[in-house]
Amino acid sequence: YKATAPIALTNVHDITISYDSITGGSRACISLTNCRNIHITHCKLLNGSSFGVWTEGCVNIKVDSSYFYRVSSGVFAYSSQTIQVIANQFKNMQGPYPYGQFVQFNHVSGAGNCFINNRGDNVSGHSNAEDDVNVNASNGVATSPIMISGNWIRGGTSKTGGGIVLGDNGGSYQTAQNNILVNTAAYGIGIADGTNMQIIGNKIYGAQTPVSNVGIAVQDYYGIGCAMNTITGNYVNWTNSAGVRNDGWNANNCGIVTGWANNTWNANITASILPAVIITYK
């Protein structure tokens, strides 16, 4: 890795950024505006009060095999298309609210958007995370939903944040599938609004903490419209702050939630569904 100053690119295309170690300070480590076909790989994005990677108005940006440490949010994709965040590791996002995500897709659209096979760990006392993964006002397509899949996610202390939220401020065609979540603050995975959302085959464990609330939740939180959603095949064991089991909550304002009865509530799982050490990059 070579020590590199923060990178800001506008109207650039068809390049690879690799093996850079970037300390962000007050600037995003890597900022991309109206760029396309950019590959960020094997980078270290560290110690900043802004983002690890910021995109605005970009198309076809891939971020893989990189390490994000103590930045406001890891990857923040705004008004962009085909954003792929794959096999990265994130530790101790700093926020503050409304930031503090490993990734946020914000007004992202089209096919090919994904957050796949990443690992993220927010250690209590060393992080200030909100939602670990937030999909905000974003729309995939029927044949290629925004895919949050195969991730290992642990930690968080926010009273309002949690593991993965789909449909924040609405949206459509978003899927959270085959993720493993442990002690992700207020909730595990939620649908806050929108249509054609799917929560499928995840393992979600939450011990009693001062902020813990519910394992899986679905509601028309914003009143935008919530329908045609699926929650099935999940294994959930979640205890709220009062010490009461609270694996799932359906507000019953999103119409029929397909598969609700086909989840394993009170599952025989513990925090050991994730290894003690999940972050191996340094």
Side-chain angles (χ1 to χ4, degrees), residues 40-201:
I40 299 167
T41 185
H42 291 95
C43 287
K44 297 181 180 180
L45 308 169
L46 315 165
N47 296 319
S49 59
S50 187
F51 307 103
V53 174
W54 160 276
T55 81
E56 181 173 1
C58 293
V59 178
N60 193 27
I61 309 299
K62 184 176 182 179
V63 183
D64 70 68
S65 307
S66 293
Y67 178 48
F68 296 77
Y69 176 69
R70 290 185 61 84
V71 290
S72 174
S73 293
V75 177
F76 192 101
Y78 177 70
S79 190
S80 296
Q81 300 179 44
T82 316
I83 307 299
Q84 299 180 314
V85 184
I86 301 172
N88 303 281
Q89 296 189 11
F90 302 80
K91 188 170 183 178
N92 293 341
M93 300 298 98
Q94 297 298 295
Y97 176 89
Y99 305 114
Q101 294 83 25
F102 300 136
V103 67
Q104 184 177 86
F105 293 125
N106 192 316
H107 291 81
V108 164
S109 62
N113 298 290
C114 65
F115 183 76
I116 294 176
N117 294 340
N118 301 279
R119 300 182 182 186
D121 201 353
N122 282 314
V123 179
S124 179
H126 298 274
S127 60
N128 186 24
E130 185 56 20
D131 303 314
D132 293 320
V133 177
N134 181 289
V135 187
N136 183 287
S138 295
N139 296 278
V141 298
T143 55
S144 180
I146 298 171
M147 183 63 68
I148 314 299
S149 178
N151 303 289
W152 292 2
I153 298 173
R154 181 168 58 204
T157 57
S158 172
K159 293 180 180 180
T160 55
I164 300 169
V165 60
L166 307 179
D168 198 14
N169 283 301
S172 64
Y173 295 108
Q174 304 168 16
T175 297
Q177 182 171 323
N178 298 333
N179 302 285
I180 302 176
L181 299 94
V182 172
N183 294 332
T184 52
Y187 67 89
I189 304 180
I191 296 172
D193 224 318
T195 61
N196 294 289
M197 308 294 179
Q198 299 184 96
I199 301 174
I200 301 174

